[in-house]
Amino acid sequence: MEASQPVAAPRAEEASCSSWGASSTNTNLPVMSTESVEIDDALYSRQRYVLGDTAMQKMAKSHVFLSGMGGLGLEIAKNLVLAGIKALTIHDTEKCQAWDLGTNFFVCEDDVVNMRNRAEAVLQRIAELNPYVHVTSSSIPLNETTDLSFLDKYQCIILTEIKLALQKKINDFCRSRHPPIKFISADIHGIWSRLFCDFGDKFEVLDTTGEEPKEIFISNITQANPGIVTCLENHPHKLETGQFLTFREINGMTGLNGSTQQITVVSPFSFSIGDTTELEPYLHGGIAVQVKTPKTFCFEPLERQIKHPKCLIADFSKPEAPLQIHTAMLALDQFQESYSRKPNVGGQKDSEELLKLATSISETLEEKLYIEAEDIVESLGKPEQKEFLPRGDRYDALRACIGDTLCQKLQNLSIFLVGCGAIGCEMLKNFALLGVGTSKEKGMVTVTDPDLIEKSNLNRQFLFRPHHIQKPKSYTAADATLKINPQLKIDAHLNKVCPATEAIYSDEFYTRQDIIITALDNVEARRYVDSRCLANLRPLLDSGTMGTKGHTEVIVPHLTESYNSHRDPPEEEIPFCTLKSFPAAIEHTIQWARDKFESSFSHKPSLFNKFWQTYPSAEEVLQKIQTGHSLEGCFQVIKLLSRRPRNWSQCVELARLKFEKYFNHKALQLLHCFPLDTRLKDGSLFWQSPKRPPSPIKFDLNEPLHFNFLLNAAKLYATVHCIPFTEEDLSADALLNILSEVKIQEFKPSDKVVQTDETARKPDHVPISSEDERNAVFQLEKAISSNQATTSDLQMAVLSFEKDDDSNGHIDFITAASNLRAKMYSIEPADRFKTKRIAGKIIPAIATSTAAVSGLVALEMIKVAGGYPFEAYKNCFLNLAIPVIVFTETSEVRKTEIRNGISFTIWDRWTIHGKEDFTLLDFINAVKEKYGIEPTMVVQGVKMLYVPVMPGHAKRLKLTMHKLVKPSTEKKYVDLTVSFAPDTDGDEDLPGPPVRYYFSHDTD
């Protein structure tokens, strides 16, 4: 019959409701040919870093069948299409209903009115997510009598909203195929959910964690059985017993080089391997590299898992919960099987029947029945049945879970969403489905993000389409969100949230918000937003992802600690001397190359322009130097001017000279300072692990690496100096022609001191010698006399590093420079893909992790809106690769005791109202009178207003607060920090809460 024929999404046809992105031409994302598995790095780069190319190519060949286009099915479809499978068939036999609008973000009101089939209604909008994926729809009946042979062409079957008996039948069919078809079933019933996977008896996983293989530098290996390997001091190995390592670059015990050994952990800094007694004694050096070993998993069929479930425990405070949910959902399946319907909301008879079914099931599972409601309903109390009854609108499904009162609270919410990337898009979708900010009387969603849409965003940020590239994220996302729910009130901004925008995001703005939600990608921005929430007593919901990992954190005024209450250890910085002279890993050479890019093409041109904006002419600068004026940065600027290339040939020459300096003379200079046989005071060799002796590289244009460095360096020098070049200029012959005229100076060792102290930092200023000064004057006079210091000569183009534009040569330069340096130091090189990730500090990302954390944040948002108690809130950490999902209680706010029963928490803020002639002494007395304790120290930020032991501070007691604080005219208050005298002399002062001082009585 006609309905049984799959329907393909037309590429350029308008969707039934306002389309999110259909367009007749699409030059950004050509449709991938059916045979091609080439990966579009511009689109998939963030995901490639998570999954790897092997998994990506397997997906690009996979056909998937997905049944059920309710909210869950659509979410799965969205993530599959974004991930880049080859083809997806979406299947559904149901018509769109009003409550679908509250769970399915691609169904619109027109679909409900016209009673469209759910799969056909969303087909076009799913296909728009990724033109590389062929999406079709099907509405064939799927029941006990259906011939399942049509599923043979698929590599994976995913079922939602399918009866359990049919799930078992389809699972058995999948297992009977050779190779077996991967089978997944997923169900959501209100706040309960289940997921089942069966990938066959022999499912091989190449990498069980997705983590980068660890590299360990070795300091010693014993001659023993077993041999004990010790790592470098202060560098724990972070390995686990049973893992495999391969060894290289060991001096002395060379028999281990190239071998693979299984290890047993002895301590955080040592592990044992096999028998080393027959090997030569260890001398020095060596690196152990973790070897990833494939693991085969055996899955069980659904029939067996129903009777003998193996459940993942997400909340270790409720280890019994998974089995209880399993029992309850089986009872629900049996109820539907018996009565061909779901239980009625609040129906007494249906509840009793469910309880009977669950009890009988629990006895067969040898488990007592105890079903505990989730946190989200636990705090609802005992509302009346009518709270949960349907009303024929888009919120019926939500209402059945949390009741109408809480639905209305969500509609009245004012939310400030900071960031509109992957998590931000998912959050806006959740707001639209939950009806956040849709009340006519109150409520609003404010979203801000200064960024424009890039092609790489389209792989995760599902509200954007190819024709949105280079448009503002916040405006585009706001428009797309209104297509999900036109009732939403949304205000989109393009601002950063930082001290510079506090006039916009003022205290008054924050106090109008009910909840702040961050969707940020850096810690500093989170810390700032947290400080604003703390100052204005606003709840904050934070989340983040990295690859398959994700976290959520709930911060509620007066109940929990704040984000700033805990600090992750800072990222380990690479020591300056390691970067400059002693790299030991590819990360070091990549960072060195990135620093060279920033210095040569961004920092120096910026310094150059700034200098000549301050001093408009070279003649004026020359006069000032000759009359003894000290002009900051002038020597470096004059050096840049004197060496400025004037044409393409000089750009090539400059690149060639840089090659010689970086990869030949640098090595010779180091070996001059520290010959290979240099020994330290204790007699040990200077050049031993992790220090690697460099080998000078001789330039050869026929070497691809040498050619790439020369070409990309020359192109970048031409760009910053505004010098045109043609395609012909870039040929090897043209370059060879130019190079034949370039004179390379012989290496002459210098007496420069090489820094070897790992704690030393990069010096801020390099001292200028009198010879440098004389040379600068000579060079400037020469430039002026030869007419090479004109207005156009005093300008350079400043390059901003851009990792995602493959045509600009930025990553190509860094890859070539890094790998040349790696070769110089005998370090394993990195390909362009890995270099781009490290140099660009790219955070690996996939849509599934993003969707997971945003869903968890939405649950906590409902609790905050409902005013739930402390016990209800949960933080979460997840790693989908392992898989691990762990819920933990939030950190309860700590109370700090001052004395005599006076205490405070981070959420407390004392207030003092002053007037124009209010002195510092008046302020101290006011605090004492109001709060019963006298401050002994008053601080404003980092400025100490009053410290009794400081000279002259006693005189400040008579000064007015206005004079001390110096507020701007629009500032109504200032936040101060006070502390109090200790109980015992010699102890530290006792800390106090922040004190907000208002400059007049009529403000608050």
Side-chain angles (χ1 to χ4, degrees):
M1 61 184 189
E2 196 174 305
S4 68
Q5 299 303 310
V7 180
R11 286 285 162 192
E13 186 180 308
E14 285 296 318
S16 53
C17 306
S18 50
S19 172
W20 287 34
S23 54
S24 55
T25 57
N26 185 348
T27 54
N28 290 311
L29 291 171
V31 178
M32 181 184 279
S33 74
T34 51
E35 297 304 314
S36 173
V37 289
E38 188 178 337
I39 298 163
D40 183 349
D41 187 58
L43 177 66
Y44 291 119
S45 63
R46 291 359 179 221
Q47 183 175 296
R48 282 179 75 188
Y49 292 123
V50 182
L51 302 179
D53 285 359
T54 304
M56 289 285 293
Q57 290 181 6
K58 281 185 178 179
M59 284 200 305
K61 296 175 183 176
S62 296
H63 293 71
V64 177
F65 178 85
L66 168 60
S67 182
M69 279 294 104
L72 173 60
L74 181 69
E75 185 67 35
I76 295 168
K78 177 203 72 178
N79 293 336
L80 284 172
V81 172
L82 290 174
I85 59 172
K86 183 175 184 179
L88 173 68
T89 301
I90 54 172
H91 167 266
D92 205 306
T93 57
E94 300 291 327
K95 306 291 185 189
C96 294
Q97 298 180 53
W99 58 265
D100 281 316
L101 296 169
T103 57
N104 185 317
F105 47 87
F106 281 161
V107 167
C108 58
E109 290 174 359
D110 189 41
D111 298 322
V112 177
V113 171
N114 292 294
M115 297 183 67
R116 288 194 180 94
N117 171 276
R118 291 197 300 186
E120 291 169 13
V122 301
L123 172 64
Q124 177 66 31
R125 291 156 217 153
I126 291 172
E128 286 172 359
L129 289 168
N130 190 344
Y132 287 139
V133 182
H134 184 57
V135 186
T136 56
S137 71
S138 168
S139 54
I140 62 168
L142 194 58
N143 53 43
E144 294 289 342
T145 62
T146 304
D147 178 3
L148 299 178
S149 59
F150 78 95
L151 295 173
D152 272 328
K153 65 178 180 180
Y154 298 101
Q155 283 76 51
C156 182
I157 308 297
I158 305 170
L159 304 179
T160 71
E161 301 184 14
I162 295 283
K163 289 181 180 177
L164 187 60
L166 185 55
Q167 288 184 36
K168 292 179 192 175
K169 181 183 174 182
I170 296 173
N171 178 225
D172 291 340
F173 172 83
C174 291
R175 289 186 73 83
S176 70
R177 305 294 98 179
H178 300 286
I181 299 170
K182 311 297 184 287
F183 175 86
I184 300 170
S185 69
D187 289 298
I188 287 182
H189 296 292
I191 56 168
W192 309 112
S193 62
R194 76 175 159 204
L195 173 68
F196 171 77
C197 302
D198 179 4
F199 301 155
D201 295 332
K202 294 179 180 177
F203 181 69
E204 187 180 60
V205 176
L206 300 178
D207 184 348
T208 55
T209 65
E211 304 289 343
E212 284 280 314
K214 296 182 178 70
E215 282 199 3
I216 295 101
F217 288 96
I218 296 165
S219 67
N220 189 46
I221 306 173
T222 62
Q223 254 183 318
N225 187 13
I228 304 295
V229 181
T230 307
C231 356
L232 283 181
E233 194 179 2
N234 299 324
H235 291 79
H237 53 68
K238 298 178 183 175
L239 296 168
E240 295 174 13
T241 293
Q243 290 179 329
F244 290 86
L245 301 179
T246 183
F247 293 83
R248 68 170 195 258
E249 300 179 34
I250 295 171
N251 290 279
M253 201 176 278
T254 53
L256 278 179
N257 288 331
S259 71
T260 300
Q261 306 285 335
Q262 191 169 19
I263 66 130
T264 302
V265 171
V266 175
S267 79
F269 297 94
S270 62
F271 52 86
S272 66
I273 54 175
D275 187 354
T276 58
T277 51
E278 300 298 315
L279 299 173
E280 292 292 314
Y282 172 82
L283 294 176
H284 64 83
I287 297 171
V289 182
Q290 184 185 357
V291 178
K292 295 275 186 172
T293 50
K295 186 175 179 181
T296 301
F297 289 85
C298 178
F299 288 80
E300 294 182 345
L302 182 58
E303 183 74 59
R304 176 170 173 75
Q305 274 294 299
I306 283 169
K307 293 173 183 171
H308 307 285
K310 295 174 184 173
C311 299
L312 180 74
I313 298 173
D315 187 344
F316 287 94
S317 67
K318 304 173 186 174
E320 70 289 342
L323 199 55
Q324 292 166 0
I325 296 167
H326 178 72
T327 306
M329 293 184 86
L330 285 180
L332 190 58
D333 288 321
Q334 285 193 19
F335 184 98
Q336 288 178 270
E337 198 69 39
S338 303
Y339 298 99
S340 300
R341 65 174 175 86
K342 290 182 179 178
N344 290 319
V345 174
Q348 183 69 29
K349 282 188 178 178
D350 286 0
S351 299
E352 289 171 1
E353 182 63 21
L354 268 174
L355 198 60
K356 252 191 270 177
L357 288 168
T359 305
S360 63
I361 291 167
S362 71
E363 286 166 0
T364 63
L365 292 173
E366 302 175 356
E367 181 75 19
K368 288 185 180 176
L369 176 66
Y370 172 71
I371 298 176
E372 180 187 33
E374 275 282 9
D375 298 318
I376 207 158
V377 296
E378 209 168 47
S379 299
L380 288 175
K382 294 183 178 178
E384 295 179 23
Q385 180 185 346
K386 65 179 183 182
E387 275 279 309
F388 303 95
L389 294 178
R391 306 192 179 188
D393 64 15
R394 65 168 66 223
Y395 305 115
D396 276 350
L398 177 64
R399 193 175 285 113
C401 296
I402 64 174
D404 190 61
T405 301
L406 197 42
C407 281
Q408 288 180 31
K409 286 182 178 179
L410 290 175
Q411 291 164 23
N412 289 331
L413 280 180
S414 287
I415 298 277
F416 183 32
L417 176 64
V418 187
C420 200
I423 292 175
C425 285
E426 293 285 343
M427 286 312 310
L428 287 172
K429 171 200 72 180
N430 293 339
F431 296 161
L433 295 175
L434 294 168
V436 170
T438 57
S439 168
K440 289 178 182 175
E441 291 76 32
K442 55 194 293 194
M444 167 75 79
V445 172
T446 304
V447 58
T448 189
D449 194 310
D451 290 346
L452 302 180
I453 296 161
E454 304 287 346
K455 185 177 176 180
S456 62
N457 301 150
L458 304 182
N459 175 236
R460 304 170 314 288
Q461 299 170 24
F462 84 102
L463 296 180
F464 309 141
R465 302 289 177 268
H467 64 269
H468 292 140
I469 289 170
Q470 288 304 299
K471 291 183 178 176
K473 285 186 176 182
S474 58
Y475 290 172
T476 309
D479 289 343
T481 308
L482 289 172
K483 289 183 172 69
I484 302 174
N485 189 342
Q487 299 165 0
L488 189 78
K489 289 178 289 181
I490 186 164
D491 183 19
H493 299 181
L494 300 180
N495 307 310
K496 280 185 79 171
V497 180
C498 60
T501 56
E502 282 186 13
I504 300 166
Y505 306 117
S506 60
D507 293 332
E508 288 77 12
F509 172 84
Y510 277 92
T511 52
R512 289 198 302 272
Q513 310 306 314
D514 295 303
I515 304 170
I516 317 298
I517 296 179
T518 49
L520 294 162
D521 61 1
N522 69 88
V523 171
E524 283 314 304
R526 286 185 172 101
R527 292 200 184 286
Y528 173 74
V529 175
D530 176 72
S531 69
R532 299 291 287 138
C533 291
L534 191 69
N536 292 285
L537 306 180
R538 297 295 92 187
L540 172 64
L541 303 179
D542 178 58
S543 60
T545 68
M546 181 179 281
T548 57
K549 298 176 187 146
H551 79 272
T552 64
E553 184 173 3
V554 192
I555 293 147
V556 184
H558 303 297
L559 297 183
T560 71
E561 291 286 85
S562 76
Y563 183 86
N564 281 305
S565 300
H566 53 82
R567 284 186 176 269
D568 293 331
E571 272 190 51
E572 210 171 292
E573 281 190 10
I574 304 169
F576 169 65
C577 69
T578 301
L579 277 180
K580 190 165 175 61
S581 306
F582 308 111
I586 193 66
E587 288 79 5
H588 301 160
T589 68
I590 292 172
Q591 186 59 55
W592 172 87
R594 171 71 199 270
D595 289 349
K596 285 294 173 206
F597 176 92
E598 291 294 340
S599 171
S600 300
F601 310 118
S602 180
H603 176 68
K604 285 178 181 176
S606 179
L607 190 77
F608 188 87
N609 291 347
K610 193 176 175 184
F611 182 86
W612 292 116
Q613 283 162 9
T614 309
Y615 307 102
S617 76
E619 289 80 4
E620 181 189 338
V621 169
L622 180 62
Q623 186 185 359
K624 283 184 180 292
I625 297 172
Q626 288 173 334
T627 54
H629 286 76
S630 177
L631 308 182
E632 190 179 345
C634 75
F635 301 110
Q636 194 172 17
V637 164
I638 294 166
K639 189 172 163 185
L640 285 170
L641 180 65
S642 66
R643 294 182 181 180
R644 183 183 184 115
R646 305 282 159 179
N647 52 47
W648 170 249
S649 295
Q650 289 180 5
C651 291
V652 175
E653 182 182 352
L654 182 56
R656 175 65 185 89
L657 295 174
K658 290 294 183 187
F659 182 101
E660 202 68 16
K661 177 184 176 182
Y662 295 155
F663 311 118
N664 184 282
H665 290 185
K666 173 69 179 178
L668 293 170
Q669 178 64 35
L670 269 173
L671 293 172
H672 167 76
C673 294
F674 306 105
L676 290 175
D677 57 359
T678 303
R679 293 190 177 269
L680 300 172
K681 287 178 183 176
D682 62 2
S684 61
L685 281 169
F686 176 84
W687 292 111
Q688 63 170 303
S689 183
K691 283 191 179 71
R692 295 163 171 271
S695 303
I697 298 175
K698 190 174 181 182
F699 181 79
D700 180 358
L701 192 64
N702 294 318
E703 283 279 344
L705 199 53
H706 301 200
F707 177 82
N708 284 339
F709 175 83
L710 186 86
L711 182 69
N712 286 293
K715 281 164 69 177
L716 291 172
Y717 281 122
T719 305
V720 296
H721 292 105
C722 308
I723 294 168
F725 54 88
T726 64
E727 278 299 315
E728 199 180 318
D729 289 331
L730 307 179
S731 68
D733 288 343
L735 295 176
L736 200 59
N737 243 1
I738 296 167
L739 293 175
S740 64
E741 302 295 321
V742 177
K743 291 183 173 60
I744 303 297
Q745 288 187 345
E746 288 276 324
F747 167 72
K748 291 179 183 173
S750 78
D751 55 0
K752 279 185 180 177
V753 176
V754 176
Q755 181 61 259
T756 58
D757 181 4
E758 288 195 2
T759 61
R761 301 187 72 83
K762 184 178 180 179
D764 292 331
H765 297 288
V766 179
I768 306 295
S769 66
S770 54
E771 187 184 340
D772 290 334
E773 287 185 28
R774 284 194 298 275
N775 191 41
V777 170
F778 170 73
Q779 294 291 353
L780 191 54
E781 285 174 336
K782 185 180 173 185
I784 293 167
S785 63
S786 57
N787 201 31
Q788 291 187 341
T790 64
T791 306
S792 60
D793 292 322
L794 305 184
Q795 288 179 340
M796 288 173 75
V798 179
L799 300 186
S800 294
F801 174 67
E802 175 45 63
K803 57 188 175 288
D804 288 320
D805 179 358
D806 289 346
S807 66
N808 63 18
H810 297 187
I811 291 295
D812 295 317
F813 168 82
I814 291 169
T815 303
S818 167
N819 284 340
L820 279 166
R821 190 166 171 84
K823 188 178 179 183
M824 186 169 104
Y825 282 95
S826 304
I827 294 168
E828 196 75 23
D831 61 16
R832 187 183 188 281
F833 184 58
K834 181 175 180 178
T835 303
K836 177 177 170 179
R837 174 177 66 81
I838 296 170
K841 294 183 168 59
I842 291 174
I843 300 173
I846 50 173
T848 41
S849 304
T850 306
V853 298
S854 62
L856 292 164
V857 168
L859 288 176
E860 299 305 316
M861 179 185 72
I862 293 170
K863 296 176 193 175
V864 174
Y868 284 21
F870 171 78
E871 297 76 24
Y873 300 106
K874 291 284 186 286
N875 293 338
C876 181
F877 170 79
L878 57 87
N879 186 343
L880 303 179
I882 302 178
V884 162
I885 302 173
V886 179
F887 290 98
T888 60
E889 288 185 350
T890 54
S891 301
E892 190 169 5
V893 67
R894 290 191 299 269
K895 189 177 278 190
T896 302
E897 297 285 340
I898 303 174
R899 67 162 72 92
N900 303 332
I902 300 170
S903 63
F904 68 95
T905 73
I906 56 169
W907 295 102
D908 290 322
R909 186 177 62 223
W910 293 356
T911 56
I912 297 294
H913 289 80
K915 49 187 178 179
E916 199 172 331
D917 58 353
F918 214 69
T919 65
L920 177 59
L921 183 59
D922 292 332
F923 169 80
I924 291 170
N925 289 335
V927 172
K928 182 180 179 182
E929 186 178 333
K930 189 171 181 180
Y931 297 103
I933 188 164
E934 182 179 342
T936 52
M937 188 157 66
V938 183
V939 178
Q940 178 194 0
V942 294
K943 180 182 171 186
M944 289 186 280
L945 296 184
Y946 177 64
V947 182
V949 294
M950 295 284 281
H953 274 218
K955 294 177 183 176
R956 292 186 177 184
L957 292 170
K958 294 178 182 178
L959 295 178
T960 65
M961 293 296 284
H962 261 83
K963 191 161 187 177
L964 277 170
V965 172
K966 298 184 176 68
S968 54
T969 50
E970 70 278 0
K971 197 77 174 167
K972 295 177 181 178
Y973 64 83
V974 64
D975 286 325
L976 305 172
T977 304
V978 296
S979 55
F980 309 99
D983 293 321
T984 311
D985 286 346
D987 287 355
E988 286 188 8
D989 281 5
L990 302 171
V995 179
R996 180 160 288 183
Y997 173 72
Y998 290 92
F999 295 107
S1000 65
H1001 279 279
D1002 56 353
T1003 53
D1004 208 335

